[in-house]
Every structure is written in C-alpha cells, then in structure tokens.
Amino acid sequence: MEEPLVRYEHLGALFDHLSLGVLIISSDRRIRFMNRSAETLTEHSAEEVIGFYCHEVFLSALCNGKCPVPEPFETLSGPTRLQVQMIDAEGRPNAITKIVTPLYGPDGKGIGCMEIFHDDSAFWDLINRVRYEDRRLKMILDNLDIGVLTVDRGGHINFFNQMAETLSEYPREEILGKTAAALFGEEISREMARFDHFDKIDAKDGKGGISREGELKTREGRVVPVRVNTMSLKNEEGKTVGGLTTVSDLSLVYELNRAIRDQHTFYDMVGKDPAMQKIFNMIPVIAASAATVLIEGATGTGKDLMAKLIHGASPRKKKPFVRVNCAALPDTLLESEIFGYVKGAFTGADRDKPGRFQDADGGTLFLDEIGDLPLSLQAKLLHVLEAQEFYPLGGRKPVQVDVRIIAATNQGLDARVREKRFREDLFYRLNVIRLEIPGLKERPADVPLLITHILKRLSAAQNAGVCRISAPAMEILLNHDYPGNVREMENILEHALIICQGETIEPGHLPTSLLKARTRQTFDSGDIENGGHSPERSGGEKGRILKTLEEQEYHLGKTARALGMHRTTLWRKMNKYDITVDG
C-alpha cells in the first residue's frame, strides 16, 4: 500500500459506527482499503476486491457506469456527490448516496481518493409512503435522526421535527407558520415552493424533487452546511398539498474535508459581536486582493484560523499555505529556516536547502508572532516584500518568489516600533490591511455561541455521543473569563468530552482547575453568604422568574423570551436561585 494512504485507514472504523461504507482508492485507481460497512453494502469482502482496479469491480454497481474521478486524477478538486441505484443479490434496487473526495499527501499532491456511501432505501421507502394527513408517520418522522419539515401550498412551515429543532436551534412553535426563508434564505425557499417541478418524475432514478447543498442559519446566527432534499406531498386524491424537506447536517463532511486538506471555510467563523461581524464581512474582499495583512490579537483568539480563512478564500487557495512561528526558533536557525541556504554556507551544509519562502512560492506565507523577529532579519524581510526576491544564506544569486505575506502578533507592533525593537519601515509595509481580533472578554455575547459551535465540531470529530451541557456546567462555562480565549475554551470542552461517558456534560466533567477557579470566584464575591446580591433584589428577580415560568407553563424558551433575556442567562439565574423544573 502507498504509505501516505495508511493515515486515512483509521477513518474506516469511525464510519463503521455511522453505517457508512468507505473505499480508499490509490492514484493508480486500485482499491487499497475497504471497511466493514462497505463489505455489507456491496456484498463483497475486502479480500475479494483489495488490489483490483475499482472500475473492474464497482463501475456498474457504484458509479452508474461512468468513473466519477476525472483524467488526469489530479484534476479532482473537491468532493463529488452521486446518487446511484445498486441491485442486491436478490434483485432488489437500493438507493445509494456516494461522496467521492480527493486525498492528499504531506506535500499537498493528490495520492488517491476516498469514496463514502450509504444506503438510503429504507428512508426513501418511508418517504414514498408519506401522506399529508397520516399522523402516525409524522410521529415516526419526528423521531428520525435527520431534520424534516413540511410546508403548505403557500410555502409556510406546518411541521417541524425534533432534529430540525436541534439543527436550527428554533423551537417549533417559533418557526411554524413562517416561510422556509427564515432558515435557508430566499433562493432555496423559492425552490422548495416549486411544487409543479417536484411532480416531474426523474426518468433516471424514479424520484422527483430537488437535492442541493446550501446553508441553514440557526436562531443564534450560526451558519451550518446542509443538504436539502425536497419532494411534493399528496393527499389521498393525488393532489399536491405541500412539500416535504429533509435536512442533513454536512458538518461532519466539512470537518473530514478540512482534516484532509487542512483548509478552513467560512463555516469556521463564529461570532455575532459587531467587531467580529465587521471582520467577517471584510474577509472575502481582503482574500480577493494580494495585499499584505497584519493580524493582531491576544493569545488564543484565532489569528492562525483567520490567516487560513483568508488563504482558503483567495485565488491562491490551491497553492501552499506555509506557517513560520518566529518565536519558536532561535535566531541562529530562523534565517536559514525562512530563507534557506546553499551548499557550503556553513559547516554541515552539504546540500542546498530551500527555505519557507520557496516552499510557499505561489501561495501564502504566514509569519506568526512576527513581533519576535530579530532586527537582523527584519531588513531582509523588508527587501523580500519590496522586490519579491531574496538571497539564501551563503548564496550569491537572488531567488525570485511570488508569495503573499500574512503576519500576526499578540504584541502591539506600534509600541515595539516606539521602543526601537521593530523597524518602522517594515511595520508600515506590513500594515496595509490590519485586523484586530478582540478577546472573548470583550465579546461575552459570543461565548454561548462558541461553546455550542465548538462542542458540535469536537463531537463530530471524535464521534462522541454528547449532545448537551447541563445548566450548572453551562453556568460555569459562561462565567469563566477565558484568559486563553478560544484556544482555552476548545481545551476545556475537549477535556469534558473525553471525561464524559454519557450524553450530558456536568460540572464534574470540567477541568479541576476551572472548578477551583470558580469556587474562589464565588467565595471572593460573597456568593456563598448571600448569593452575590441583596436579598431584596434576589427576592424580586426570583419571584419574577417563578411567575413567568408558571405563566409560560414552564417552557424555558418561552420564559426567556418573555423575560427579555437569552436562554443561557435564564439557566444561570435559575441555578443561582435554586429553581428547578421537573420533566
């Protein structure tokens, strides 16, 4: 087996848990790996197919008679989705959804592809039997692990299952009666209302409707990648009375693709704070240009992610993204690491070695912690920015490069310029476009949004069953200052996921250091004695919450809205006043 492909085989076991078949195909189009789910779905054993050309075995069964991987192999640029029909040993047709995604080696070159597929037959059989008035089937749909919603002839939502609530973060009573534009935007909403189009049966697979990838915007403003499948709903007389839409969360697919390509997309951007929204709106414009970018922000705010987002949205996205941490290497090694050296430049230099600038040629060079770059190298970097050429260590001939520079620092470069520790001319050369990322302490409204986003991403990556955080644990997370910002939050949640063996994260699953810090904070603020507030105020607020809970029949979402506060704020206050809701 080609060695670079081995690192992808562990994904087979992960997808076995999801009942997803996986084939790994090498660049010469031979089958190199097959997981157990693939054996079950294709009725072939791994021993029968490994080493054979994939088209010899599966061209008709899984590829509709035509190979989805183009010639030459390297032109497969991203995931391709196929709907195929496979006939089993008993002659029954099975509807198969297949995704083909390229695989890359450490050098960024294509080394093969991965095919992921699953059997949709049972689901489509259920959908084909749906009738608008059948409440029993609606109960079944309400318990599926896939989002399902229906709309009437006017395009208004009249059914919204539990998974749709989970994906969108909307309680059904808030979304019923609205158009699908509230979730998917105007374009997809209009397509979902084209009932005449759904009635046209596709001659190829016998199913009508539309299937497309898109975006779902949650109640909290997060954007989730989804696949939307829509078909018409008919009554007993065969008259179209509305439409049914299934919504599949593609976050796991994007997470897999990001792990394979190490490329980030706009789905990684989270934040409703005005300062963050301003940055998000600027990124597409910045990415399209060739300008140098300077990113400033405290440790752990996501400067590395921001640089990858800019590169991933730029015309250079298919070229290398090379990172250099200017603070991680001693001064004596930094110059040779960045600019490379020629044979004989120093003792032990027995061959030419290209530097990071040459590695990044045509792409982006990310200089992290540039404030720690020695003055001796700052002049050389300035020359590269001005002339797009440099001399390797010990070299006499200039090397031409085409590199975009993105620099980042957790130190104010203005202050370092005043202290004569950073060249003023280099600062102005870097400071063409400047992005300042605020810390979490400066944008507290983003904390619950980030907790939800990170927990979902980590759960998908680790195939964890955790789906929620208890109110006491959420209170601790929401009241922590996060001096390490988003990186610290990720570490805390990853710790909790590893320790938690159930579906709910409790305070005991959080790091001990966080619990100790919370205890000290509570003691210092006087919460142990009187709850950190006056008895008069606590009595009034507690009474108002209890009264509103009773009025809203103890529905937390409705109570939070009636009180004019976020649901997580209501959780905190209920925990503070020892208010519990049974059931």
Side-chain angles (χ1 to χ4, degrees), residues 183-219:
L183 299 173
F184 305 106
E186 293 292 343
E187 183 181 352
I188 295 182
S189 178
R190 282 196 298 270
E191 289 185 2
M192 290 169 60
R194 291 180 59 196
F195 303 114
D196 57 332
H197 174 70
F198 303 150
D199 292 336
K200 296 176 182 178
I201 302 299
D202 190 300
K204 189 174 185 179
D205 60 16
K207 295 190 290 289
I210 63 168
S211 177
R212 60 168 291 178
E213 290 187 15
E215 297 176 348
L216 181 149
K217 191 170 184 179
T218 71
R219 189 172 184 271

Side-chain angles (χ1 to χ4, degrees), residues 412-430:
L413 287 190
D414 315 64
R416 293 185 73 81
V417 169
R418 290 193 298 270
E419 296 166 359
K420 305 298 182 184
R421 298 172 67 184
F422 200 87
R423 291 179 63 110
E424 186 175 16
D425 48 3
L426 177 57
F427 170 68
Y428 289 123
R429 193 70 180 174
L430 293 170

Side-chain angles (χ1 to χ4, degrees), residues 297-358:
T299 299
T301 50
K303 300 184 291 295
D304 195 339
L305 171 61
M306 195 66 67
K308 289 180 178 178
L309 285 171
I310 293 171
H311 172 75
S314 76
R316 298 171 179 262
K317 63 183 178 182
K318 293 185 179 179
K319 297 295 183 178
F321 175 87
V322 178
R323 179 179 182 270
V324 178
N325 189 327
C326 300
L329 294 170
D331 296 356
T332 52
L333 294 179
L334 197 54
E335 181 174 5
S336 62
E337 184 68 23
I338 295 178
F339 300 106
Y341 56 81
V342 299
K343 182 179 179 180
F346 50 83
T347 302
D350 55 355
R351 58 183 176 83
D352 292 350
K353 181 182 180 299
R356 297 297 180 91
F357 264 104
Q358 287 160 286

Side-chain angles (χ1 to χ4, degrees), residues 270-435:
V270 176
K272 59 183 179 181
D273 181 85
M276 294 303 296
Q277 285 296 317
K278 183 179 179 181
I279 292 174
F280 296 161
N281 292 335
M282 289 170 62
I283 283 181
V285 180
I286 294 171
S289 73
T292 303
V293 181
L294 177 62
I295 305 173
E296 293 192 333
T299 299
T301 50
K303 300 184 291 295
D304 195 339
L305 171 61
M306 195 66 67
K308 289 180 178 178
L309 285 171
I310 293 171
H311 172 75
S314 76
R316 298 171 179 262
K317 63 183 178 182
K318 293 185 179 179
K319 297 295 183 178
F321 175 87
V322 178
R323 179 179 182 270
V324 178
N325 189 327
C326 300
L329 294 170
D331 296 356
T332 52
L333 294 179
L334 197 54
E335 181 174 5
S336 62
E337 184 68 23
I338 295 178
F339 300 106
Y341 56 81
V342 299
K343 182 179 179 180
F346 50 83
T347 302
D350 55 355
R351 58 183 176 83
D352 292 350
K353 181 182 180 299
R356 297 297 180 91
F357 264 104
Q358 287 160 286
D359 292 341
D361 192 23
T364 302
L365 182 65
F366 176 48
L367 297 174
D368 198 9
E369 307 301 350
I370 196 169
D372 292 305
L373 191 70
L375 283 167
S376 59
L377 294 184
Q378 292 178 23
K380 197 165 183 176
L381 176 59
L382 178 63
H383 177 73
V384 181
L385 289 171
E386 292 176 340
Q388 287 287 293
E389 67 174 25
F390 64 93
Y391 288 86
L393 189 63
R396 295 189 177 184
K397 293 181 179 180
V399 176
Q400 297 283 336
V401 288
D402 172 23
V403 173
R404 182 183 192 176
I405 297 292
I406 300 179
T409 179
N410 62 2
Q411 311 171 45
L413 287 190
D414 315 64
R416 293 185 73 81
V417 169
R418 290 193 298 270
E419 296 166 359
K420 305 298 182 184
R421 298 172 67 184
F422 200 87
R423 291 179 63 110
E424 186 175 16
D425 48 3
L426 177 57
F427 170 68
Y428 289 123
R429 193 70 180 174
L430 293 170
N431 195 31
V432 178
I433 297 176
R434 190 174 185 176
L435 298 176

